[in-house]
Every structure is written in C-alpha cells, then in structure tokens.
Amino acid sequence: MRTYLVTGGAGFIGSNYIHYMFKKYDNDIRIINVDALTYAGNLENLKDVENRDNYTFIKSYICDKVAICQIFAENDIDRVVHFAAESHVDRSIAEPEVFVRTNVLGTAVMLNCARAAWELPDGSYRKDKKFLHVSTDEVYGSLPEDENAFFYETTPYDPHSPYSASKASSDMLVKAYMDTYKFPANITNCSNNYGPYQFPEKFIPLMINNALQGKKLPVYGDGKNVRDWLYVEDHAKAIDMVQEQGRLFETYNIGGHNEKQNIEILNIILDTLQEMLPDGDPIKANVSSVLINYVSDSKGHDRRYAIAPDKIKAEIGWEPETMFKEGIRKTIRWYFENEQWMKNATSGDYQKYYEEMYKNR
Ligand code: NAD
Ligand code: TYD
C-alpha cells in the first residue's frame, strides 16, 4: 500500500485531490494530510473522509523542519504531493513576505526532509519514492493577446507578482534538487482552477457569492484579461497520472484548452445562475449584469495566460475532460448545495479582507 504525504490538503485543490484519490484508490492507499490551516485551509472540505482508517490529518506548518522531518521518520512515505502554498496574487501584492516564507522556505523544508528520509548512503534513493511539486503557469509571466502564443515547458520563467515570483523560486529549488542530488521529483505547472471548495477570494466563487447576495461584481481593469480555466477534478487526475506515468525529473504543463476573458466568464456565471435559479426565487431578480462594477486594475496584472498541454497529452495521454459549461454548472450546483460552507468562509476575517482589498478600487 502506497503512503502519500499531501501538503495543503485542506485547501481548494488539495482537498479535491484527496477526494479524487480516495474515489480512485479507496483502501489501496494511505494519505497523511499536513496543513497549517491558514485562512485558506478548511477541515470542512474533508468531512467525508476524516473518519477513514487510511486518512490522517496533521496540523503543522511546512516551515517547521522538526515537525516535517518527524512525519517522514514515523511514516514510510512513498509519495509527496506538495500543494501547500500562499496562493492568492492580490494578497501577495499587499503582503509578500509570507509568500516567500511558505512557498520558498516551506518547499525547501519539504525537499530536505524527503531527501533525508529517502536518500541511501551511495546517493541513490530508496526504490519508488517520488515528490511532486504543484505549481502554476503564472511563473511564465504574461502572453501577448495573440491566440497562437502559448506557454510551453520550455518557455523562460518571467514571473511578475510576488506570488508567481515565490512559486518560480520554489520550482527552481525543486529543479536544483533534481540536478544536484538527482532527487526523484516532478513539477507540474497548471492554469487557473475552478470547482467545489474554492475560497471566495478567487474570481469565480467570489462572483457567484456576490451575485447571489446582490452585491457588486468587481471586475479589474477592462475585464479583458485572459485566464485558461481548468475544472479542478481534471487537475487532480493529471497530478496522479504525472506521478505514476510521467518521466521522473520532467515538468508537465496542465491546462484547460479554455481561454476566456474575465468578463466572458462573469457573463457565463450570470447566465448560468439565471438558468439554474428557480422561477419565483427572489434572488433571481437580483442576478444581473447591472451588478458588474469595473474597478481600478491590479498592479502588474498579467494580461493573458494560456497553456498548450501538448506534452502531457503526448506522453501520458491526459487531456482536460470537463467542458466549461458543464464544469461551471457543477460548481454553481455545489455552491447552492453548500450554502453553510460559503457562510462560514465569508464570516469574520473575510469581511475585513474584502473591505480592505476592495475599498480603494
Ligand atoms: P489554497 O490557498 O486554497 O490552499 C492552500 C493550502 O495550504 C491551505 O489549506 C493552507 O492552510 C495551506 N497552507 C498555507 N500555508 C501553509 C504552511 N506554511 N504550512 C502548511 N500548510 C499551509 O490553494 P490552492 O488554490 O488549493 O492551490 C494549491 C497549490 O496549487 C498551490 O501550490 C498553488 O500555487 C497551486 N496552483 C493553484 C492554482 C489555482 O488556480 N488555485 C493553479 C495552479 C497552481
Ligand atoms: P484570481 O481568481 O484571483 O486568479 P489569478 O489572479 O491567480 O489569475 O483572478 C482571476 C482573474 O480575475 C484575474 O485576471 C484577476 C481577475 N479578478 C477580478 O477581475 N476581480 C476580482 O474580484 C478578482 C478576485 C479577480
């Protein structure tokens, strides 16, 4: 039975990945989830797996070397899937240091502890041990508005925000471990994800939540920035496929073949909400483009991201499966059915965050 150490499993993608893995492998794997439970970590995301015998949660910061190395010493870890990170660009612009601490130092600690546990005296590694570093397409910078330009694995890094700079640094550390120590790892760089359990600081759940509350919908700049949206379960599947079928030491880009301008996404959300809300529901009358509010642009706002996921398709056979129309319906249905989750996520500190982040826009 393989034992996985998943970091950041209480966050958006990590919790979806854990659900995906238990659905796929059931009792044939064991998962240890290490998460510090920052504002973005939420154990409610894992309620339906928390009582499994083959699941363990450990609350710890990944920068805590003693705690992380102890987890490796006490468990024979076969796979590390490293999600834990500060993940929100806007927050990184307001407060960069914590991004460096978690994303860079935290990754170094994860790499060091894994290496200490897995390396043999001759410098090779214990059989079939693998580390997968989950990263972002934002490390590649911004593409021109030319529909033939894409990010490839060979595209030079050119990060612009403190978030993407910290992720680029963490990628470089993983690359350095692979080069210097032949450390058995892969890196995946994925485009923007959407789906259940996404914290409502991010564009899609923020817009769904605000629209349902009849609140303004803050669109940065001219709304024409382009992101390549991927349904989160497709990402979870890609990570598993890369780790089991990919070539070690390789980077794989993961993308949705689904480039859209922010304003297009918002209009699809509004139309889908209109379709899905029952006639006569008083909320339905509020959900309209009248709520759209163009606000000042973000500092250094990357114009366009788009991945060509050719390598992962050719080598591993992975392709995005969920069409945006279907994925957004599933996502909206999940938020309809999990009103309390959203209420909990948007109480307390979120209100302060929202006021602070949007007051001068
Ligand atoms: P998230 O913010 O929803 O979750 C991050 C998780 O990490 C939270 O549970 C949080 O508690 C935990 N965490 C943060 N700092 C920690 C620390 N110091 N120690 C231990 N745990 C800590 O993020 P997400 O959207 O799920 O992203 C997961 C990973 O995927 C990140 O590495 C991110 O860079 C990458 N990624 C995200 C996207 C996206 O669209 N969300 C796209 C590509 C790549
Ligand atoms: P986001 O979901 O924060 O992801 P990222 O910044 O990592 O791409 O934002 C997606 C896009 O939506 C990005 O171009 C910024 C824009 N955006 C808004 O226009 N308004 C908002 O309130 C938010 C949160 C994002």
Side-chain angles (χ1 to χ4, degrees), residues 164-323:
S164 53
S166 68
K167 290 298 290 187
S169 309
S170 66
D171 293 10
M172 292 300 174
L173 267 175
V174 180
K175 286 177 203 276
Y177 267 66
M178 293 193 284
D179 291 346
T180 308
Y181 309 113
K182 301 285 170 274
F183 181 75
N186 287 105
I187 298 171
T188 53
N189 295 89
C190 188
S191 61
N192 287 61
N193 284 216
Y194 70 101
Y197 304 109
Q198 189 167 28
F199 190 75
E201 65 189 352
K202 302 290 197 308
F203 185 76
I204 288 183
L206 185 147
M207 293 300 167
I208 294 171
N209 183 48
N210 279 20
L212 290 174
Q213 306 222 10
K215 286 192 183 149
K216 285 187 178 167
L217 307 172
V219 174
Y220 301 167
D222 63 3
K224 292 185 178 161
N225 297 65
V226 171
R227 298 291 181 265
D228 173 6
W229 294 94
L230 177 70
Y231 191 62
V232 63
E233 205 174 72
D234 288 354
H235 185 188
K237 182 175 178 179
I239 287 170
D240 180 41
M241 287 176 79
V242 166
Q243 200 160 41
E244 297 317 315
Q245 297 164 45
R247 285 183 294 141
L248 264 185
F249 312 116
E250 292 291 316
T251 289
Y252 292 91
N253 284 352
I254 305 170
H257 275 312
N258 182 48
E259 281 182 63
K260 290 198 183 342
Q261 293 179 343
N262 294 335
I263 191 66
E264 288 179 78
I265 295 284
L266 182 50
N267 283 321
I268 295 172
I269 291 173
L270 292 172
D271 291 347
T272 312
L273 284 170
Q274 274 295 336
E275 276 165 40
M276 290 177 72
L277 284 164
D279 288 337
D281 187 325
I283 294 172
K284 191 164 177 157
N286 288 333
V287 173
S288 110
S289 57
V290 171
L291 297 174
I292 295 175
N293 182 30
Y294 285 93
V295 297
S296 61
D297 208 353
S298 291
K299 293 189 180 80
H301 194 176
D302 286 337
R303 191 63 172 170
R304 173 172 170 255
Y305 301 144
I307 286 229
D310 298 353
K311 177 174 171 182
I312 189 171
K313 184 178 176 200
E315 288 192 12
I316 299 178
W318 178 89
E319 284 188 277
E321 288 171 28
T322 311
M323 300 299 292

Side-chain angles (χ1 to χ4, degrees), residues 50-69:
E50 68 187 9
N51 293 323
R52 297 184 71 106
D53 291 338
N54 55 344
Y55 170 76
T56 308
F57 172 68
I58 299 174
K59 184 169 189 273
S60 175
Y61 277 93
I62 53 167
C63 304
D64 183 344
K65 190 173 174 177
V66 173
I68 298 296
C69 283

